[in-house]
Amino acid sequence: MNRFDGKVGLITGSASGIGKEIALRFAAEGGIPIIADLNLAAAQATAQAIQASGAEAFAVAMNVTDEAQVEKGVADVIAKYGKIDILVSNAGIQIVEPFVDFPFADWKKLLSIHLDGAFLTTRACLKHMYAANFGRVIYMGSVHSKEASKLKAPYVTAKHGLIGLAKVLAKEGAEHNVTANVVCPGFVRTPLVDKQIPEQAQELGITEEAVIKTVMLKETVDGQFTSTDDVADAVLFFAAAKNNVLTGQSLVVSHGWFMQ
Ligand code: NAD
């Protein structure tokens, strides 16, 4: 008996990086991951890789900022499996610019992917979770849900916002056996971070190595990146919650960068 046998988990942004690792690990423990991503070709490739290992997976095209696409993607999952037990709202991007120059369009784009995406996917899944009297919702936060860094005005704002969203859901969802949590990773070497290293080096006028050592990992206890595996452990821990005891909580996974 595996921990997630028969459970259906919709994971946004799971064609790459952290979300992909969560999908692979969820499938390895008996779950059926729904690979929901803007990039349908990459989502299908991830689903095929999981199917090749003998597990089940389903890819859906989903721009999490598009209400109609989110509703359709969730409806397609319900048509195929009849339920969604777990939502991991993970899709995200990063844009770094000094506050004084931050383009308004980029501010709105980033907030929309992180916050509209979390809201729309949660709302679409929630009616099915309430009907089933079961749901586990996990938001991908960040150390930037608790702490700030230069050049990241909308990202820090959005990631702090997810904590508030989870607390509301924890209260509203409780009577329907729906829990809400936030996982808050430190820096993880994914395409999202690989893109930032040269951008931050340019903005801060330092080398890429210095960005890693003196910006990204400076406050960790051991100079280590957090791994996708470590983040998946935390997400699947909340996904397997037996009851409401930890609902509304956020967990920082960051090699000691931020301690609370
Ligand atoms: P990534 O770039 O490797 O993967 C992000 C995925 O999201 C991609 O597959 C992309 O196609 C998808 N995506 C982007 N916009 C989308 C949209 N509008 N609709 C649907 N899918 C969309 O990034 P990652 O590092 O794996 O990041 C995943 C999450 O983890 C993000 O929310 C990010 O903020 C968070 N996070 C990352 C780090 C890190 O250091 N990498 C640290 C803390 C939190």
Side-chain angles (χ1 to χ4, degrees):
M1 182 74 185
N2 294 302
R3 195 162 47 149
F4 297 113
D5 277 348
K7 296 285 189 212
V8 176
L10 192 152
I11 306 160
T12 68
S14 48
S16 174
I18 292 171
K20 182 174 178 178
E21 181 73 19
I22 295 166
L24 295 171
R25 291 276 312 278
F26 181 61
E29 293 195 60
I32 302 168
I34 310 303
I35 317 298
D37 204 286
L38 193 60
N39 184 339
L40 181 60
Q44 285 168 333
T46 301
Q48 279 160 12
I50 291 169
Q51 287 155 356
S53 75
E56 193 162 345
F58 182 48
V60 296
M62 186 184 286
N63 178 348
V64 296
T65 68
D66 183 323
E67 184 177 11
Q69 270 192 38
V70 170
E71 292 290 334
K72 181 177 184 315
V74 167
D76 288 349
V77 177
I78 295 297
K80 192 167 167 66
Y81 295 108
K83 63 173 186 168
I84 296 178
D85 300 295
I86 295 158
L87 167 66
V88 184
S89 171
N90 164 80
I93 60 163
Q94 180 61 278
I95 304 172
V96 292
E97 288 279 358
F99 200 143
V100 68
D101 296 325
F102 224 109
F104 188 36
D106 285 344
W107 161 269
K108 286 193 282 194
K109 178 180 175 187
L110 194 146
L111 288 184
S112 179
I113 293 172
H114 290 262
L115 292 179
D116 296 352
F119 167 72
L120 290 172
T121 53
T122 303
R123 195 187 59 179
C125 291
L126 214 49
K127 52 174 96 71
H128 305 289
M129 290 176 169
Y130 282 5
N133 199 42
F134 183 87
R136 300 286 174 261
V137 178
I138 298 103
Y139 297 105
M140 192 54 63
S142 164
V143 164
H144 289 113
S145 297
K146 313 271 182 177
E147 183 59 274
S149 290
K150 289 177 178 173
L151 309 178
K152 297 188 175 176
Y155 190 81
V156 170
T157 304
K159 291 302 192 189
H160 275 67
L162 290 174
I163 302 247
L165 190 69
K167 287 179 180 175
V168 173
L169 181 58
K171 293 198 172 194
E172 290 193 19
E175 65 184 286
H176 305 282
N177 192 20
V178 172
T179 61
N181 293 98
V182 187
V183 170
C184 303
F187 282 101
V188 185
R189 277 313 279 266
T190 66
L192 179 141
V193 162
D194 286 338
K195 177 173 171 287
Q196 263 178 80
I197 295 170
E199 290 173 356
Q200 290 219 33
Q202 190 171 355
E203 288 292 350
L204 299 171
I206 57 179
T207 64
E208 293 187 16
E209 192 172 67
V211 169
I212 293 172
K213 282 203 170 133
T214 65
V215 179
M216 293 183 165
L217 304 180
K218 181 171 175 239
E219 303 293 340
T220 62
V221 294
D222 53 10
Q224 299 290 312
F225 277 101
T226 299
S227 70
T228 55
D229 197 45
D230 294 326
V231 180
D233 278 342
V235 168
L236 296 181
F237 170 73
F238 285 127
K242 290 200 281 276
N243 55 37
N244 279 325
V245 70
L246 289 175
T247 196
Q249 301 293 342
S250 51
L251 181 63
V252 179
V253 184
S254 73
H255 285 257
W257 167 11
F258 182 86
M259 301 186 195
Q260 54 185 1

